[in-house]
Amino acid sequence: MATESTFNRANLEQLLSKRFFYAPAFSVYGGVAGLYDYGPPGCALQANVLDLWRRHFVLEEDMLEVDCSIMTPHDVLKTSGHVDRFSDWMCKDLKTGEIFRADHLVENVLEARLDGDKIARNAAVEAKADKDEKKKKKAAKVVAVQLDDATVQTYSEILAQIDNYSGPELAELMRTHKIKSPETGNDLSEPVVFNLMFASSIGPTGQLPGYLRPETAQGQFLNFKRLLEFNNDRMPFASAQIGRSFRNEISPREGLLRVREFTMAEIEHYVDPEKKDHPRFHEVASYKLKVLPASVQLQGKTELLEIAVGEAVEKKIIDNQTLGYFWSIGINPDRVRFRQHMKNEMAHYACDCWDAEIHTSYGWKECVGCADRSAYDLTVHSNKTGEKLVVRERLPEPLVEEKLQLEINKKVFGPRFKKDAKVLEEHLVALDQPTLEQLKKAHDETGKFSVTVNGQSFDITKDLLTSFEKATITTHIREFTPNVIEPSFGIGRILYCLMEHVYWVRPEGEQRGVLSFPPVVAPTKCLLVPLSGNDAFVPLLNQVSTILRRQGISNKIDDSGASIGRRYARNDELGTPFGITVDFQSAQDNTITLRERDSTKQIREKVEVIVELLKELCEGKTTWAEVSAKYPAFVSQEITETD
C-alpha cells in the first residue's frame, strides 16, 4: 500500500477513470457537480461491499430488511423536522456570485494560513495530494506569512471545533479574521440557511409537494408497527435498508466523498428506553478504539483517547451499550477515529452522535454516523398522525401505583371549546404526573389552571372536570415508545476510502498501479489467460471459467494479443487478486498455474485443486501465505511482469 508521503491522488484518480470505476455523470454535456456514474468494476465493488454489509449486519444480527419509497410527501419530512432544519450555511462572493459552504470556507482559509505560517518558519507542511484545476479555484491560496503564536493557537482552536459554529458565529469569524473569497479576494455575504433537500411534486396537479428522501430512515420509522408485528411483538429488534438518498450539497467536491446522490445502508435498532443494553455487547466490550469526545474538541484540541468500548460506556463517554456495540463491528482501528458531535452540529433528532471517520488524502472524513435518535421520530410521527407507534409489554407482576387522574366533564367541555375540544382533551389525557401535580396545585388554590396547545392558551375551570384526584391504578401492561440507535453507512465514501487505502505502485520497471482489494470485495476474483492464441487452450480455458462461475467465483478471460505480463498488469489495476494461466502443459496434464496479485508468486496444481483453493481464498477460509507454505512455488516457466 502507498504511504501517505508517497501517495499520489492524481495518479489514483487517473487509474480509476481509465478503468471506469466511476466517472462524472453526463460528462458529454459538461457534467453536473456531485453526480457520478459507476462503471463495471465500480458496480461490482459496490455490490460486493453491500453483500458483505448485508451478511455482516442483516444476517448476523437477524435484522428485518425493508425497501421503502424514495419519493417522500412534504408532511412526512415536515413532521420529522427536515423541512425546517435539514440545512447548511452558505455564503457567496458579492461580485461573482460564486457560492461557498460557510464552514468549509472558513476551514480552508484558516488551514491555508497555518500552512503559510509553517512555510515561513521552515517547518514541515503536511503533503496535500494534487487537486484538479476546478478544485484549486475553491481552495484558499497558501502564502508564506509568519503568524504570531497567539494567532496560530486561535486558528487551531477554531479548526478543532469548526463543525460546532452556528451561522451567526461563522459570520463573526469571517469578519474577525478578514476572510474573503479565495479566488477573487472579494467580500462575502453573510451566511444564510440553505435546505439540502431536492423538492418535487407528486402527481400531475402539482398540489401534493414532496422531496427526494435525504435519508432512508423515515420509511423504516413509518413501518415500525408492521415490523414489530412481523417480529411477533418481540423487543429489541432492528430494521435495515440499503438505498439511494439525495442531498442538494452547496458545493460538492472531493469526488465520491461529497455528492448529491448516493447509496446509504442504514440500521434502526429499536430498544427499550429503560434498558439500552445489547445482548452481544460483551463480544466487543474489550475492543479498543481511538475516540475524540466533544469535550476535547471544545477545548480546541484534537488529541485522540484510546479506550475500550466497555470502559467508554461505563464512563458515559458513549451513551449506552447498543450505541457502543454498533461502533465496533468490522472496524480497523489503525485507519479510523470516532469523533463525537458537538452540540451545534448535532442533528435535530439526535441526543448523542458519533462519526466513524476514516483518514484519507483529503483529511478525516465521516463514513459512518452512529446516532442515538432517542424516541424522537416515532413520537413526532405518532403525534402528527394519531397512530400509536408503541410497544405493549405484559409485566411479570402487576404494578400498583397512586396516580393523579383527571376526568373531563364532556357535557360542558365540548360546547365550551367546540372545534378545539378534541385536541385539548388529547393534550390533557397525555400529561405526565409531574405536570399534573403542578396543575392540581393551581386547581386547588385558584379553582382553575391554564394549558397551552398549539400556541393557544386555555383556562380549565372546576366545572369542566368531574374529578381531579389521586386513585389507585393497577397496571398489567407497560406501554412505551422505543428509543432508536442508528448506524448509518455512506457507501460511496467507504468505497473511495477503500480504493485510496489499497492503492500502491510497483517500484520495479514501469510505474504500474495496483489496487490490493481483499478477495471478498474485489470486483473480479480471477483472471484467466491463455499463454498464447493457440486453439488448443480454448476448451480447457472455457471449462475452468464455467467451473469457477458455478462456484460463485467471478472471472474474466483475457485472450488479447498482449503479453501475459501486460495482461496481468491491466488486471492489477482492476484489483483482481488471482490469475490463472493455461499453457501447453495444461493441455497435457490438466494442471494450471495460480498467481497472486500482490506478491506475483505462482503455484501449479491440478484444475480441481486450484478451483478449491480459489474458493477458500475468496471466502476468507485460507490465506495466500498458507497456500504458498503448503504448495511449491512454480518458477520453471514463470513469465516476468515486464514481458
Side-chain angles (χ1 to χ4, degrees):
M1 316 299 173
T3 63
E4 288 189 41
S5 59
T6 62
F7 176 76
N8 187 308
R9 189 200 303 155
N11 287 350
L12 170 62
E13 290 180 344
Q14 183 181 23
L15 183 154
L16 296 175
S17 176
K18 179 175 71 173
R19 297 303 177 196
F20 195 16
F21 276 84
Y22 65 91
F26 317 113
S27 58
V28 296
Y29 281 88
V32 178
L35 299 178
Y36 289 90
D37 295 331
Y38 285 17
C43 281
L45 178 65
Q46 177 175 254
N48 292 340
V49 168
L50 289 175
D51 179 63
L52 184 64
W53 186 92
R54 183 175 276 113
R55 283 187 280 129
H56 191 79
F57 288 104
V58 178
L59 299 181
E60 179 76 13
E61 293 290 318
D62 195 23
M63 295 176 180
L64 309 180
E65 187 170 4
V66 295
D67 186 1
C68 302
S69 174
I70 288 173
M71 181 59 73
T72 308
H74 170 275
D75 287 355
V76 172
L77 294 167
K78 176 69 174 178
T79 301
S80 70
H82 286 80
V83 170
D84 297 321
R85 289 180 281 183
F86 192 72
S87 55
D88 281 331
W89 294 95
M90 73 173 184
C91 58
K92 67 178 180 179
D93 185 311
L94 290 175
K95 291 186 178 179
T96 68
E98 186 174 9
I99 299 296
F100 302 92
R101 182 168 151 179
D103 58 336
H104 288 173
L105 175 67
V106 172
E107 182 179 29
N108 290 340
V109 170
L110 297 189
E111 284 181 344
R113 290 180 184 177
L114 289 176
D115 284 346
D117 173 73
K118 290 177 181 177
I119 294 172
R121 296 171 185 252
N122 295 318
V125 177
E126 182 180 352
K128 301 285 195 304
D130 295 336
K131 299 179 179 178
D132 62 36
E133 288 303 315
K134 288 183 180 179
K135 290 172 185 172
K136 282 182 181 177
K137 290 181 180 179
K138 292 272 186 178
K141 298 173 183 176
V142 177
V143 181
V145 175
Q146 186 167 337
L147 307 172
D148 60 72
D149 293 344
T151 301
V152 170
Q153 179 67 21
T154 298
Y155 287 177
S156 299
E157 290 175 356
I158 291 171
L159 291 172
Q161 51 183 317
I162 190 65
D163 295 315
N164 196 39
Y165 293 110
S166 65
E169 289 170 334
L170 288 168
E172 183 59 32
L173 287 174
M174 291 162 63
R175 285 191 294 270
T176 301
H177 301 290
K178 297 180 174 56
I179 293 175
K180 307 289 185 180
S181 177
E183 176 71 7
T184 65
N186 295 331
D187 289 337
L188 297 160
S189 68
E190 292 278 310
V192 295
V193 169
F194 176 75
N195 190 283
L196 297 175
M197 292 193 296
F198 284 99
S200 185
S201 60
I202 302 171
T205 66
Q207 299 300 306
L208 181 58
Y211 298 91
L212 298 178
R213 67 184 179 194
E215 61 177 11
T216 70
Q218 297 305 316
Q220 298 184 64
F221 298 139
L222 296 178
N223 282 293
F224 170 76
K225 194 172 180 179
R226 294 186 181 96
L227 290 166
L228 180 64
E229 181 181 354
F230 184 87
N231 204 47
N232 298 319
D233 295 323
R234 290 182 294 110
M235 285 282 292
F237 73 93
S239 62
Q241 181 170 194
I242 298 170
R244 288 284 188 172
S245 294
F246 304 82
R247 298 182 184 180
N248 196 10
E249 293 285 351
I250 294 170
S251 53
R253 55 178 186 162
E254 301 174 350
L256 298 182
L257 295 177
R258 188 164 295 280
V259 294
R260 288 173 166 146
E261 178 183 351
F262 51 95
T263 298
M264 299 182 77
E266 290 191 306
I267 297 164
E268 311 301 335
H269 196 92
Y270 305 96
V271 298
D272 187 330
E274 296 179 2
K275 191 170 52 180
K276 292 186 179 180
D277 298 338
H278 194 285
R280 297 178 61 183
F281 181 73
H282 65 278
E283 297 178 20
V284 300
S286 61
Y287 198 94
K288 287 195 172 181
L289 302 173
K290 295 173 182 176
V291 306
L292 182 57
S295 58
V296 174
Q297 298 170 69
L298 289 170
Q299 296 171 28
K301 300 176 182 177
T302 56
E303 288 82 5
L304 300 181
L305 169 67
E306 187 165 343
I307 190 170
V309 178
E311 184 182 353
V313 170
E314 186 179 326
K315 292 182 175 179
K316 302 306 289 182
I317 296 173
I318 307 173
D319 188 61
N320 56 74
Q321 283 191 12
T322 301
L323 186 61
Y325 179 76
F326 281 109
W327 260 29
S328 310
I329 300 176
I331 300 295
N332 179 355
D334 294 332
R335 308 305 296 265
V336 173
R337 75 178 185 186
F338 290 84
R339 188 184 68 82
Q340 187 178 26
H341 282 207
M342 292 167 283
K343 185 177 179 180
N344 279 351
E345 66 170 316
M346 195 89 70
H348 62 273
Y349 49 73
C351 65
D352 191 20
C353 188
W354 292 76
D355 289 341
E357 297 182 335
I358 301 178
H359 193 262
T360 71
S361 63
Y362 292 104
W364 289 100
K365 294 299 172 183
E366 171 203 351
C367 290
V368 185
C370 297
D372 184 342
R373 298 180 76 126
S374 63
Y376 174 84
D377 299 276
L378 296 179
T379 299
V380 296
H381 288 306
S382 182
N383 291 342
K384 176 66 176 178
T385 63
E387 186 74 41
K388 296 187 77 172
L389 303 176
V390 297
V391 175
R392 302 183 80 247
E393 180 180 81
R394 178 167 291 278
L395 298 172
E397 296 289 338
L399 181 63
V400 180
E401 298 176 289
E402 288 285 321
K403 284 188 173 182
L404 271 174
Q405 292 286 291
L406 181 152
E407 294 183 9
I408 292 171
N409 184 351
K410 295 191 177 182
K411 290 182 179 180
V412 181
F413 197 88
R416 175 83 57 85
F417 296 112
K418 298 178 182 176
K419 64 181 178 61
D420 296 317
K422 185 174 184 294
V423 67
L424 183 56
E425 181 178 352
E426 290 174 350
H427 176 81
L428 292 172
V429 170
L431 293 172
D432 57 25
Q433 285 297 299
T435 304
L436 285 173
E437 288 173 2
Q438 292 177 5
L439 299 179
K440 170 67 171 170
K441 184 178 179 182
H443 174 271
D444 292 345
E445 291 176 354
T446 66
K448 67 176 183 178
F449 61 85
S450 298
V451 293
T452 301
V453 180
N454 295 333
Q456 186 176 354
S457 181
F458 298 92
D459 288 334
I460 309 299
T461 54
K462 283 189 175 183
D463 62 314
L464 293 169
L465 306 175
T466 58
S467 173
F468 194 2
E469 301 294 339
K470 282 197 172 183
T472 301
I473 306 297
T474 302
T475 306
H476 296 273
I477 301 293
R478 175 182 169 232
E479 189 175 276
F480 64 91
T481 303
N483 280 200
V484 178
I485 308 298
E486 178 192 70
S488 176
F489 297 73
I491 300 303
R493 291 186 175 192
I494 291 172
L495 293 182
Y496 177 78
C497 292
L498 173 62
M499 290 185 283
E500 188 170 295
H501 286 178
V502 302
Y503 172 72
W504 58 289
V505 177
R506 295 198 191 278
E508 68 277 1
E510 298 179 33
Q511 292 286 295
R512 291 177 174 176
V514 182
L515 290 171
S516 291
F517 293 121
V520 70
V521 298
T524 303
K525 312 302 183 190
C526 187
L527 170 70
L528 302 179
V529 293
L531 183 66
S532 67
N534 194 302
D535 290 342
F537 302 146
V538 175
L540 183 57
L541 202 64
N542 290 335
Q543 178 190 347
V544 172
S545 179
T546 300
I547 293 172
L548 291 178
R549 292 184 190 281
R550 287 175 179 171
Q551 292 290 333
I553 301 171
S554 60
N555 62 89
K556 298 285 185 185
I557 296 175
D558 186 347
D559 54 3
S560 65
S563 68
I564 286 183
R566 193 162 296 279
R567 281 181 276 172
Y568 274 135
R570 283 199 298 246
N571 281 271
D572 289 347
E573 292 183 336
L574 289 166
T576 307
F578 304 107
I580 286 175
T581 301
V582 174
D583 56 18
F584 291 105
Q585 185 178 339
S586 305
Q588 297 171 2
D589 61 9
N590 209 41
T591 64
I592 51 180
T593 67
L594 178 65
R595 170 197 184 263
E596 194 269 337
R597 173 197 59 217
D598 295 347
S599 66
T600 71
K601 301 301 182 184
Q602 300 183 74
I603 63 170
R604 185 176 200 111
E605 292 293 335
K606 294 284 189 180
V607 169
E608 56 271 23
V609 174
I610 295 295
V611 169
E612 186 59 31
L613 285 174
L614 260 178
K615 184 173 174 58
E616 292 183 357
L617 285 163
C618 292
E619 292 176 352
K621 294 179 179 178
T622 189
T623 65
W624 181 255
E626 293 171 340
V627 170
S628 57
K630 183 176 179 180
Y631 296 93
F634 176 71
V635 293
S636 61
Q637 297 178 25
E638 190 169 11
I639 305 297
T640 64
E641 290 299 314
T642 55
D643 185 5

